[in-house]
Structures are given as C-alpha cells and as structure tokens.
Amino acid sequence: MSGERVRLFVKAQVLGYKRSKANQYCHTSLLKIDGVNTTKEADFYLGKRIAYIYKAKTQKKGSYFRAIWGRVTRAHGNVGTVRAKFLKNLPPSAMGGSVRVFMYPSRV
C-alpha cells in the first residue's frame, strides 16, 4: 500500500433542528452531507455513525477535544438532506458547523 492516508468519514453541515411552523424538535438534527443530492444517495448513509467534534475550555483525559455521537436515522426531503439523532442533543452553537459521517457500520 502507498503512504496515503485513508479518510473514513465524509463531512456534513448541521442545518438546524427538525421543525414545523411553530415548534422545533431539538432531539432531531438536519444534516446536509457533502456530495449527496438525492434521496437515493442518502439511503446509503442510513444507520451510519456521526460525530460532532468540538473544542472545550478545560482539558479532560489529556485532550481539549470532545465529541457528541449520533446516527443517521432517515432522509428528509428530496435533495439529500438527512435526519440524525445524537446521544445528547446538539447545542445551538453547532448550527452551521460541520460533523463527520463515518463509513461504518456497513449494511452491504
């Protein structure tokens, strides 16, 4: 094998929370995965793990970085947006930020 690094994730942007006209549902986040433009393409990512990685002020276990883990639950709309649930709801500061969508677990 060559010395190139293999990236096991795809980047995605946090669009916001699932919502209706009057209510928003913070337990479900909407994500736009890079390179995904249809519902068929989004189906590949269903069940995949997601990590929202952020930097904290205090150090824990030798690192300033922390992660909130979640999963892609289903598609949302027709343009490749997906819904995701995290173990702890994403903070509002995550909106517009990026998350990593990992290539596991595999459903193939």
Side-chain angles (χ1 to χ4, degrees), residues 53-71:
I53 298 171
Y54 62 99
K55 194 170 183 181
K57 286 185 177 180
T58 56
Q59 197 173 13
K60 285 198 175 179
K61 297 182 184 175
S63 175
Y64 287 98
F65 292 99
R66 302 193 189 148
I68 301 175
W69 287 91
R71 280 187 195 276

Side-chain angles (χ1 to χ4, degrees), residues 20-31:
S20 62
K21 184 179 177 187
N23 301 322
Q24 78 176 7
Y25 302 95
C26 302
H27 54 74
T28 305
S29 299
L30 302 178
L31 307 176

Side-chain angles (χ1 to χ4, degrees), residues 4-69:
E4 294 180 35
R5 297 188 62 176
V6 178
R7 198 169 75 177
L8 296 175
F9 63 88
V10 176
K11 289 214 166 222
Q13 281 68 43
V14 179
L15 302 179
Y17 300 125
K18 183 181 125 184
R19 57 170 296 154
S20 62
K21 184 179 177 187
N23 301 322
Q24 78 176 7
Y25 302 95
C26 302
H27 54 74
T28 305
S29 299
L30 302 178
L31 307 176
K32 181 65 177 154
I33 302 172
D34 292 352
V36 176
N37 297 313
T38 64
T39 307
K40 289 271 188 205
E41 292 172 0
D43 287 344
F44 170 78
Y45 292 97
L46 300 186
K48 299 284 190 258
R49 302 268 314 226
I50 308 168
Y52 170 66
I53 298 171
Y54 62 99
K55 194 170 183 181
K57 286 185 177 180
T58 56
Q59 197 173 13
K60 285 198 175 179
K61 297 182 184 175
S63 175
Y64 287 98
F65 292 99
R66 302 193 189 148
I68 301 175
W69 287 91

Side-chain angles (χ1 to χ4, degrees), residues 67-103:
I68 301 175
W69 287 91
R71 280 187 195 276
V72 177
T73 55
R74 57 174 290 184
H76 179 85
N78 296 317
V79 292
T81 305
V82 296
R83 297 184 197 176
K85 288 194 178 249
F86 289 83
L87 293 178
K88 289 173 60 177
N89 297 344
L90 286 185
S93 60
M95 288 187 196
S98 65
V99 295
R100 294 177 178 183
V101 181
F102 290 91
M103 295 291 114

